[in-house]
Amino acid sequence: MTVSKDNFEELFSYLYETAMHKYGDCPEIDTIVQDSMLAYLENRKKGVNTEHPKGYLSAVLQRKYNDYLRSKYKNSVVTYGIPETLTVNETPEDPSDEYEAVRREIGRLVKIYREVTVRHYVHGHSVDKIAKDLGIPRGTVLSRLSKAREQVKEGLNMEKYAGISYEPKHVGIGIWGSSGLGGEPFTLLHSQIEGNILILAYENPISLRGIADTMGMPCAYVEPLVDKLVKGELLGKTASGLVYTRAFMRHYENAFGNINAQEELADKYAVNVWNTVWKHTETLTSSPSFLSMSEKQKATLFLFVLNQAISEVIRKVKSSFLSNDHSKIEPPERPNAGRWLATLTIMDEQTKSRSSKYDGSGPVQVGYQDEEGKQNCVMYDCQSVFGDAHWAYNRFKYQFSLLSILRFYASLLPSGIKTDNPFLHELVPEFEKLHILNRDENGNIRLDIPALTYNESHYWNTAIKEIQNELFSLLKEELSAIVRYSVNRVPKHVDGREHYFYEGALSAYTMAQMLSIVEKGLMPYPVKVGQTPIIFLVYKPQEV
């Protein structure tokens, strides 16, 4: 059988253009093209009728290019192209982007497909040996190899990287409840990778392959991270292997609700709120313990009272919108003795470097018990715009637990409690910078935060409850109006879903009300914003 001149020229032109596009940097490009065309002509002379000559020439061209690479590097390379074959051998020196792409796609395979593919195509193990080694039927091995080939081919033809692969988000975490013995769930987020996995699995359950594809990472590296998050209960897993985020997630810019509405309300009621607080606490300011405090300590105590009272009002207002009072339900038990529900806040590079005056945390409550199991001291530690507290401790030269820090503070009181770590004394200058400690005229270290005995604190707690009840009646209608228009969409798979329907609706109000009172000069004690950390201690005096 002869080949017409026109057909020959068309096929040669197609072959040369294909070769230049795929292997244009190869110095032997002309030889490879000629050898490929000669192979096609030899078949025609033998009477072989090729139904799809261009497809045939493409396959021959790739084989000829592979032959060239073998002779140049004297090593086997990845070959991929004929639908039924997938051959992979390690060739670190291989310059071909196509071969690198195949290896990359194998890395994207989930474990059950990846392990059979690597064993068969990389290490050359037979199907029977793989079945024996993995303890699975021979047909399962064949099925997984077939599925792996399909996924590799699909991956080579699709670019699935999303913005999250080259512009990852930063995820912060906060909890309602108490963390585990190992600091869970905070310690589950070691890097941006875990946080971005949680972002991807939030709206809808997603496969491990989907996570790897979107993040541009091999499944081999994604799988142990996902397993850790599932074990730590920030992720859940469906029967089919899809994973979903169990924590509530929000963007930083939506974390504080309608700030303007809350600030306007705080300004409107500043005088009324302060008058209510003063009415129920004025008699307590004549007690010896209060009179012995510095002006800063007195101001701090009143900031604590305001924080506790207003926060409880907000809790009651939000609870009125729920079918049951979630705030009275204990957070679920977690691994390693934790009890928590987690909130994840998404921040990009811009919001991560920008903080709001309404950012805060706490009060974190930490208690110390004696050998008989009796509570000897409690600390309420609030991170707020009024001053750095427990967030700042993580920046210290040495890291200590909040319990160790509580014992250090308590050792400066007539409590009989001793510090459990002498290295804390080296950080006295740091605590002074935070306006938590200072020195008297003799240079002795002393607390610059308020501390009351249990008996004394009882009267303040009673006053706080009376303030809460009165402020709730005063503010509930207008606070409810703000909440009513601040409903979150929460996926059904989020733990404690109902608890988050109105999360963030009034997140700015407590600080806004406190700032308004301070800025109007209503409080008779001086407050320096940024230098008055809200930390309050209650202790049992040492028996003489």
Side-chain angles (χ1 to χ4, degrees):
M1 182 179 293
T2 60
V3 182
S4 70
K5 180 180 178 181
D6 290 341
N7 190 39
F8 176 86
E9 289 179 351
E10 179 187 346
L11 292 178
F12 188 87
S13 177
Y14 165 80
L15 188 60
Y16 196 85
E17 289 175 1
T18 302
M20 288 299 295
H21 176 71
K22 297 179 69 175
Y23 317 119
D25 57 348
C26 175
E28 300 295 327
I29 193 73
D30 292 328
T31 301
I32 292 172
V33 169
Q34 291 171 15
D35 288 348
S36 300
M37 182 56 78
L38 285 173
Y40 171 76
L41 292 174
E42 285 293 327
N43 265 8
R44 295 297 297 268
K45 288 181 180 178
K46 293 176 182 178
V48 177
N49 184 23
T50 305
E51 185 176 358
H52 302 288
K54 290 184 178 179
Y56 173 83
L57 283 171
S58 295
V60 173
L61 179 69
Q62 185 163 323
R63 287 200 295 270
K64 295 296 182 181
Y65 181 70
N66 290 339
D67 290 342
Y68 158 73
L69 290 177
R70 291 190 183 95
S71 64
K72 179 178 180 179
Y73 294 101
K74 297 182 179 179
N75 205 338
S76 58
V77 297
V78 180
T79 58
Y80 176 73
I82 303 175
E84 289 75 23
T85 63
L86 172 62
T87 306
V88 185
N89 293 301
E90 291 298 327
T91 310
E93 304 87 358
D94 178 15
S96 170
D97 290 341
E98 182 179 356
Y99 303 147
E100 291 300 325
V102 173
R103 280 193 278 265
R104 181 190 67 208
E105 291 305 319
I106 291 174
R108 287 182 175 183
L109 297 173
V110 296
K111 185 177 180 181
I112 61 171
Y113 300 126
R114 188 177 66 251
E115 63 183 354
V116 296
T117 300
V118 171
R119 287 170 184 259
H120 186 61
Y121 292 112
V122 176
H123 300 302
H125 295 176
S126 68
V127 172
D128 290 332
K129 176 174 173 53
I130 296 172
K132 181 180 179 181
D133 290 346
L134 297 180
I136 57 178
R138 186 176 189 276
T140 301
V141 175
L142 290 172
S143 174
R144 290 181 181 178
L145 287 172
S146 175
K147 185 70 173 179
R149 286 194 298 267
E150 291 176 7
Q151 291 186 18
V152 169
K153 285 186 287 182
E154 177 187 358
L156 287 172
N157 294 322
M158 297 178 64
E159 182 54 78
K160 299 183 179 180
Y161 293 174
I164 207 168
S165 69
Y166 53 80
E167 196 174 26
K169 306 295 183 183
H170 176 79
V171 176
I173 184 169
I175 65 169
W176 169 49
S178 56
S179 56
L181 295 175
E184 301 87 354
F186 302 99
T187 51
L188 297 176
L189 302 187
H190 289 291
S191 69
Q192 289 179 310
I193 300 174
E194 290 94 342
N196 283 271
I197 288 173
L198 293 169
I199 292 174
L200 290 175
Y202 184 63
E203 293 293 342
N204 296 292
I206 187 173
S207 67
L208 289 176
R209 175 64 186 265
I211 293 172
D213 283 346
T214 307
M215 298 185 70
M217 292 179 63
C219 272
Y221 293 97
V222 172
E223 285 165 342
L225 300 180
V226 167
D227 289 343
K228 179 187 70 173
L229 293 171
V230 170
K231 184 177 180 181
E233 298 190 356
L234 278 178
L235 279 181
K237 182 177 284 190
T238 68
S240 62
L242 301 180
V243 295
Y244 54 88
T245 300
R246 295 174 60 173
F248 173 64
M249 185 165 281
R250 62 188 179 185
H251 287 272
Y252 179 83
E253 54 267 29
N254 301 325
F256 306 105
N258 186 334
I259 292 177
N260 290 336
Q262 294 171 77
E263 289 178 336
E264 289 175 5
L265 193 65
D267 184 71
K268 176 181 178 180
Y269 283 104
V271 173
N272 301 74
V273 170
W274 174 252
N275 287 343
T276 301
V277 171
W278 188 251
K279 179 176 70 174
H280 292 286
T281 59
E282 184 178 7
T283 57
L284 299 176
T285 62
S286 60
S287 66
S289 59
F290 187 83
L291 292 173
S292 67
M293 293 182 185
S294 69
E295 294 295 286
K296 174 181 173 295
Q297 288 173 316
K298 294 174 182 177
T300 302
L301 180 55
F302 270 101
L303 289 177
F304 177 77
V305 170
L306 281 165
N307 187 75
Q308 293 294 92
I310 299 169
S311 296
E312 176 62 15
V313 170
I314 289 173
R315 184 200 66 79
K316 291 176 68 175
V317 168
K318 288 168 57 180
S319 296
S320 67
F321 283 83
L322 305 179
S323 58
N324 53 63
D325 190 349
H326 257 60
S327 61
K328 293 182 179 178
I329 299 174
E330 282 288 325
E333 292 186 10
R334 302 293 187 174
N336 211 9
R339 265 189 175 276
W340 48 265
L341 286 175
T343 298
L344 304 170
T345 303
I346 305 170
M347 294 174 280
D348 56 25
E349 286 302 315
Q350 295 173 335
T351 55
K352 187 175 70 170
S353 61
R354 186 177 70 244
S355 61
S356 167
K357 60 184 176 182
Y358 300 119
D359 274 335
S361 172
V364 175
Q365 181 176 336
V366 186
Y368 171 69
Q369 297 178 337
D370 60 19
E371 295 178 354
E372 298 178 358
K374 296 180 180 178
Q375 194 92 283
N376 270 13
C377 191
V378 177
M379 174 173 68
Y380 301 89
D381 185 302
C382 304
Q383 176 71 35
S384 74
V385 68
F386 290 101
D388 277 337
H390 54 269
W391 285 359
Y393 302 157
N394 294 326
R395 301 195 295 266
F396 285 171
K397 178 181 179 181
Y398 307 118
Q399 297 296 302
F400 300 95
S401 69
L402 285 175
L403 179 58
S404 290
I405 291 174
L406 165 60
R407 291 186 61 175
F408 175 56
Y409 293 162
S411 70
L412 302 174
L413 296 169
S415 64
I417 298 173
K418 299 184 182 300
T419 181
D420 64 347
N421 197 317
F423 285 103
L424 275 161
H425 287 278
E426 294 186 23
L427 298 179
V428 167
E430 299 301 318
F431 287 110
E432 289 182 281
K433 292 177 184 176
L434 294 175
H435 308 280
I436 296 171
L437 300 181
N438 62 13
R439 296 179 185 270
D440 61 20
E441 60 275 7
N442 298 317
N444 297 317
I445 304 168
R446 63 184 183 184
L447 284 177
D448 199 20
I449 53 179
L452 295 174
T453 66
Y454 279 101
N455 287 337
E456 293 167 337
S457 68
H458 168 74
Y459 298 106
W460 287 87
N461 288 334
T462 300
I464 289 173
K465 291 178 181 177
E466 293 170 348
I467 294 166
Q468 290 168 353
N469 293 333
E470 193 165 328
L471 290 184
F472 180 70
S473 298
L474 175 69
L475 301 169
K476 64 178 180 180
E477 292 301 326
E478 291 184 71
L479 287 175
S480 296
I482 295 175
V483 173
R484 193 171 292 113
Y485 296 102
S486 306
V487 183
N488 297 312
R489 195 197 68 76
V490 186
K492 292 182 178 180
H493 49 256
V494 170
D495 291 348
R497 178 172 179 257
E498 187 180 8
H499 178 78
Y500 296 108
F501 286 166
Y502 304 99
E503 180 69 15
L506 296 172
S507 290
Y509 183 71
T510 298
M511 284 298 114
Q513 188 64 83
M514 294 166 69
L515 284 168
S516 182
I517 289 170
V518 168
E519 290 165 359
K520 290 178 183 295
L522 301 175
M523 190 185 298
Y525 309 105
V527 174
K528 292 183 178 179
V529 175
Q531 298 181 26
T532 316
I534 308 174
I535 305 175
F536 173 52
L537 297 184
V538 180
Y539 70 99
K540 178 181 178 182
Q542 185 179 19
E543 296 180 3
V544 180

